[in-house]
Amino acid sequence: MKEMTYGKAICEAIAYEMRRDKSVFVLGEDVSIGVFGVTKDLFKEFGPSRVMDTPITETAIIGAAVGAAATGVRPIAEIMFMDFIAVAMDEIVNQAAKMRYMFGGKITLPLVIRCAAGAGIQAAGQHSQSLEAWFTHIPGLKVVYPSTPEDAIGLYLSAIRDDNPVIVVENKSLYAVKGKVEDEFKPIPLGRAEVKREGDDVTIFATGACVSKAMMAANELEKENINCEIIDPRTLFPFDKETLFKSIEKTNKVILVTEENKRGAFSAEVAALIAEEAFDYLDAPIVRIGAINTPVPFSKVLEEYYLPSVEDIKKAVKSIM
Amino acid sequence: MKEMTYGKAICEAIAYEMRRDKSVFVLGEDVSIGVFGVTKDLFKEFGPSRVMDTPITETAIIGAAVGAAATGVRPIAEIMFMDFIAVAMDEIVNQAAKMRYMFGGKITLPLVIRCAAGAGIQAAGQHSQSLEAWFTHIPGLKVVYPSTPEDAIGLYLSAIRDDNPVIVVENKSLYAVKGKVEDEFKPIPLGRAEVKREGDDVTIFATGACVSKAMMAANELEKENINCEIIDPRTLFPFDKETLFKSIEKTNKVILVTEENKRGAFSAEVAALIAEEAFDYLDAPIVRIGAINTPVPFSKVLEEYYLPSVEDIKKAVKSIM
Amino acid sequence: MKISTEKLISIYEKMFRIRAFEEKVGELFAKGKLAGFVHCYVGEEAVAVGVCQNLDDKDYITSTHRGHGHLIAKGGITKYMMAELYGKSTGYCKGKGGSMHIADASKGILGANGIVGAGFPIATGAGLSFKYQKTDQVAVCFFGDGASNRGTFHESLNLASIWDLPVVYVCENNMYGEFTPQSRHQKINNISDRAASYGITGVSVDGNDIFAVYEAASLAIDKARKGGGPTLLECKTYRYRGHFEGDPQEYRTKEEIEDWRRKDPIIKLKKHLLENKICDETKINKLEENINKEILEAVEFAEESPNPKPEEALENVYTDIIEEARK
Amino acid sequence: MKISTEKLISIYEKMFRIRAFEEKVGELFAKGKLAGFVHCYVGEEAVAVGVCQNLDDKDYITSTHRGHGHLIAKGGITKYMMAELYGKSTGYCKGKGGSMHIADASKGILGANGIVGAGFPIATGAGLSFKYQKTDQVAVCFFGDGASNRGTFHESLNLASIWDLPVVYVCENNMYGEFTPQSRHQKINNISDRAASYGITGVSVDGNDIFAVYEAASLAIDKARKGGGPTLLECKTYRYRGHFEGDPQEYRTKEEIEDWRRKDPIIKLKKHLLENKICDETKINKLEENINKEILEAVEFAEESPNPKPEEALENVYTDIIEEARK
Ligand SMILES: Cc1ncc(C[n+]2csc(CCOP(=O)(O)OP(=O)(O)O)c2C)c(N)n1
Ligand SMILES: Cc1ncc(C[n+]2csc(CCOP(=O)(O)OP(=O)(O)O)c2C)c(N)n1
Ligand SMILES: [Mg+2]
Ligand SMILES: [Mg+2]
């Protein structure tokens, strides 16, 4: 076991795969330095032939990754801020996601797209969004969202080895957060949730940076004798409903917490699945917590109000106890 | 009252507004002719200065509409097939939707984006999608989805007069469908659902082309003594939950039908809202019906399997009776 | 540039195959046998064939919505193509793609594409892959005059230029993007002038002259293969049929079409073959007959092939997950 | 081109105001008083001022992530700007936008923009609006060398060219896009060469020479105003500070920065003013003093202004809907 930041874990996982497999390479804007510094050490180890700085050209970055993946290599394309992915939606949704299907299953696209999501650093409206719901809606994509350094390693190993386009959502507020990781790197299969904390009274489902907020809320609620179980899906698609439903079967109550704008969030799909398939387990209404339905504001006080908080989670839990 | 197709109704509504307000104009690819012929008569009446053919340049079409709307005019921009909107997501989501907020409320963006959604004409994976869930998720946008010629007129009048960016989803399989319209054109306020059919046993919530499928299912189910109430939200955001909840309070059962890929659909948000706020009205699990979670296939037999059908709706209703 | 007799005949054969295939497709569409959006390549055959004749199986192309010609030129098999247009399970894409998505990756065909201009970055990525793997493969991106205004054109040519990628961008300037003539969608005449924005070579040739296309493509492909980077090659040509089948074509005159028919690339090449005694009439007739037969057989194959089973719609989204069936 | 004394002094004043504002911003950021991403304009002042000095209030500009200079040049008021950087309710955007989104639509400023290259179509749309309304307004789009590789550049210049829109595209080529030098992000030296792709005029000038910028901008803006269509104007310049505040700048040398400091646009203009006796030292000192005082007052205003109330986050999404508060 060693300690490592989330950012470093991502870098180490990619390096591990690049050492294993010469067909893996990284491309993106200024990845040789990295606005968040995540890929800097990759450049030091592998140089410009495998860690490629591109012009400001998200459309071509993703489109080129598609063309490369279709012809024998395994690109990892970086979108510096998830917000910029809006520029490359055609390449992701109309090309990468559909190519295998439209060609009758006769092509594979081993392609990873990294992107830094999330608010909390006063980066304002165009550098702070969480847009994962766009991608879980699109058949043909897998979507991964690690919440810890350990998960980042395991999920990246699987994502890079996967033969389908995988979008990895990284929460930028986690880059500097440390956590324990196993000495030996092992893939975490895509589509397997983890119970991050066991409890009997209520299920809190959370993703990304909301997992640690849920943990904090749970620790505080424990003092009031409320025992929360925390489920982190880790992969948003393929989605592990079994683990979630099992928990709800036990607790009969569920709170869903994600950092997205609440309306139309990925958590809406989870709520819908529960209402369809685990309805009989429920003793109380489902409660979703998300960001307020506004763009991300700049000012610290506004951004704090915007984001779901530990307090919000505690309040929600109590509202259904 | 007169009869009119859905396509003609859209054209007439836009023409009505263009006559009223000189600041309204239309731009898009080949709009002077129109792949679906919807805007052809506009060109005949208003000529190239107000019905502008653009190059193949969705990014610039939407971006230019944003810049124009910010400087005193009211553009109606056409995206020929909704699938192509993927090319202009930055302009819609990072610019149009956020500009007012990011500028502290000091600008208005009276902008309409038209797009032809939906499958059913064997146009395959990149010309058949229903992507409304992307937009209902984004604060700053309004989303409208008429299901009849009459609604198309009323909703277009409101959309064009609105001072916010409005996306109008048109279902291409409806263009040639006729319906009765009032002689006098009147705006339908955005955010007001309509009960398209009254009934006591079950609520069917449906949008776009699924409304008439729900109607057909309801008519057949009536013969089996099942009385369906059909709710068409008409505007997806702002969303009229009151009308829907009132219906569920009466029927205690709800089926949600939309043409989108089911996973992460707009109907997921509706299901989540019900599970949060109308949970106590429910006597049975919510049932969602959507397209299967695949790209839209070309072959007729496959496309038919892909799409939600009248049969699917009937089955779903019976499953919870 | 000298082209061998054998090659010239193979070129003629491919051009004629495209023509025969497309005219049959138009006929079938008019009869209601085919559905969806179908864009025919009739009139532009010299471009696809003149370019692809310089490529190997291991080279790749990206095609467009008007893709049948590219496929045939790159070695696509007409019966699988026809079956795909019919939406049959024996089609190239098992009926899932249709005309706008036909592909044969095993022959280096990365697919027709329903999104105008989507091929630019994909071909660029193929070029990146070849450079990365240090192979001598080349990628060719076919695109139209209309597509040359898309942002993907700019981003891709810029990227390919700074990395010297082995990609040849072949513009089929058929003077129209849908119903809009070139003069209304861009202010330049020669799209190859845009090469200057990327510090690469731009060339314009008569796209109805197979020799001109072949030679220019040969130079560009050779250069790319040897590490010399990308070229922008514009071929001026014309489509005789509507933008798509069913297009009433109110935006152009019959005379304009007739003018271009006089510059028909296939007739031109045939004349050359005969006049230079590269091939005699009998041999050409035989060849044409064979192709006509092949196309009829392709139709037969397509018509007799089974439809896919409805549940097959659930397959092939991922390599490892099959979507849940309807309940 | 003759520039009146009055105008020259006003130009100097604006350039100095930008410099003073930005250096204060850098200082405040280093002290931890400002947060988020802040991109300073120091070194590039001649571009914004040389261009905007040719514009009226009713003309519009689109700016970039490096927007403070454009705002000040177009008449933005420093205290509202500073308050916005502090996230205060008195800021231009009530604290909702921050540095990357400052705007003052009443002065024709369509905002800084956090998306590189997003300004192209927006400025183009403003130009369309002016043409449609038959006014004689002009739109100016500021953008960087890095932005010139985005697809939006291509689509916008193409559209503006075919419709002869009154838009001037002003490239601030400061030799870097983030940490990447121009030579690694495009193969051309003069970005103005790209005008050829659209059949419009392209001009490159020394962006540190206020006279060169002013004259070229004046010609281009005048032409646009008279219906002559768009121009692509490249101004070669340099930023002294990091890409953003906090950038360790490992990608360039101190010498390179020093070289450029010797070509400083403000020192150059000051020298010109003094040498040609357009203005004496006392007057300049007074002017500089006043601006320094203005900036200090702006900081004071910002620091003393109240934070927005948390619930204000819910307002201003739409003209007519206020979002639901947290429960
Ligand atoms: C992004 C996008 N926008 C619009 C369309 C609709 N469309 C299909 S083909 C076409 C014209 C293409 O013109 P060009 O590139 O010249 O090719 P051609 O059809 O002439 O071969 C258009 C606008 C599309 N398929 N994709
Ligand atoms: C679409 C997009 N991609 C990437 C970024 C990240 N980014 C911010 S500024 C910048 C460099 C811009 O370079 P340039 O256009 O030359 O402007 P400069 O910073 O030199 O003024 C980049 C890559 C962004 N904001 N938007
Ligand atoms: Mg064309
Ligand atoms: Mg720059």
mmCIF file of all heavy atoms in Angstrom, chain D residues 144-146 172 174-177, ligand 4:
data_model
loop_
_atom_site.group_PDB
_atom_site.id
_atom_site.type_symbol
_atom_site.label_atom_id
_atom_site.label_comp_id
_atom_site.label_asym_id
_atom_site.label_seq_id
_atom_site.Cartn_x
_atom_site.Cartn_y
_atom_site.Cartn_z
ATOM 1 N N GLY D 144 -6.792 34.739 -30.679
ATOM 2 C CA GLY D 144 -5.366 34.464 -30.602
ATOM 3 C C GLY D 144 -4.857 33.592 -31.734
ATOM 4 O O GLY D 144 -5.632 33.069 -32.544
ATOM 5 N N ASP D 145 -3.541 33.433 -31.789
ATOM 6 C CA ASP D 145 -2.943 32.544 -32.781
ATOM 7 C C ASP D 145 -3.450 31.120 -32.577
ATOM 8 O O ASP D 145 -3.762 30.414 -33.531
ATOM 9 C CB ASP D 145 -1.409 32.587 -32.688
ATOM 10 C CG ASP D 145 -0.901 32.401 -31.271
ATOM 11 O OD1 ASP D 145 -1.267 33.209 -30.401
ATOM 12 O OD2 ASP D 145 -0.154 31.436 -31.018
ATOM 13 N N GLY D 146 -3.549 30.723 -31.316
ATOM 14 C CA GLY D 146 -4.038 29.364 -31.043
ATOM 15 C C GLY D 146 -5.461 29.182 -31.539
ATOM 16 O O GLY D 146 -5.811 28.149 -32.115
ATOM 17 N N GLU D 172 -4.598 38.352 -32.478
ATOM 18 C CA GLU D 172 -3.503 38.763 -31.606
ATOM 19 C C GLU D 172 -2.523 37.612 -31.574
ATOM 20 O O GLU D 172 -2.665 36.694 -30.763
ATOM 21 C CB GLU D 172 -4.027 39.055 -30.214
ATOM 22 C CG GLU D 172 -5.193 40.032 -30.273
ATOM 23 C CD GLU D 172 -5.815 40.311 -28.922
ATOM 24 O OE1 GLU D 172 -6.176 39.361 -28.204
ATOM 25 O OE2 GLU D 172 -5.962 41.493 -28.604
ATOM 26 N N ASN D 174 0.342 36.249 -30.350
ATOM 27 C CA ASN D 174 1.362 36.459 -29.307
ATOM 28 C C ASN D 174 2.323 35.272 -29.248
ATOM 29 O O ASN D 174 2.974 35.027 -28.252
ATOM 30 C CB ASN D 174 0.719 36.746 -27.948
ATOM 31 C CG ASN D 174 -0.140 35.578 -27.460
ATOM 32 O OD1 ASN D 174 -0.145 34.510 -28.069
ATOM 33 N ND2 ASN D 174 -0.850 35.776 -26.372
ATOM 34 N N MET D 175 2.351 34.524 -30.338
ATOM 35 C CA MET D 175 3.359 33.480 -30.562
ATOM 36 C C MET D 175 3.130 32.202 -29.757
ATOM 37 O O MET D 175 3.862 31.233 -29.925
ATOM 38 C CB MET D 175 4.789 33.979 -30.273
ATOM 39 C CG MET D 175 5.106 35.347 -30.853
ATOM 40 S SD MET D 175 5.342 35.239 -32.648
ATOM 41 C CE MET D 175 5.293 36.964 -33.121
ATOM 42 N N TYR D 176 2.137 32.184 -28.888
ATOM 43 C CA TYR D 176 1.868 30.990 -28.095
ATOM 44 C C TYR D 176 0.367 30.767 -27.954
ATOM 45 O O TYR D 176 -0.390 31.728 -27.794
ATOM 46 C CB TYR D 176 2.437 31.115 -26.667
ATOM 47 C CG TYR D 176 3.945 31.038 -26.603
ATOM 48 C CD1 TYR D 176 4.727 32.185 -26.746
ATOM 49 C CD2 TYR D 176 4.583 29.809 -26.424
ATOM 50 C CE1 TYR D 176 6.115 32.114 -26.699
ATOM 51 C CE2 TYR D 176 5.973 29.733 -26.371
ATOM 52 C CZ TYR D 176 6.725 30.880 -26.514
ATOM 53 O OH TYR D 176 8.095 30.793 -26.474
ATOM 54 N N GLY D 177 -0.032 29.524 -27.988
ATOM 55 C CA GLY D 177 -1.340 29.103 -27.513
ATOM 56 C C GLY D 177 -1.046 28.318 -26.250
ATOM 57 O O GLY D 177 -0.440 27.249 -26.322
HETATM 58 MG MG MG E 4 -1.639 33.176 -28.414
#
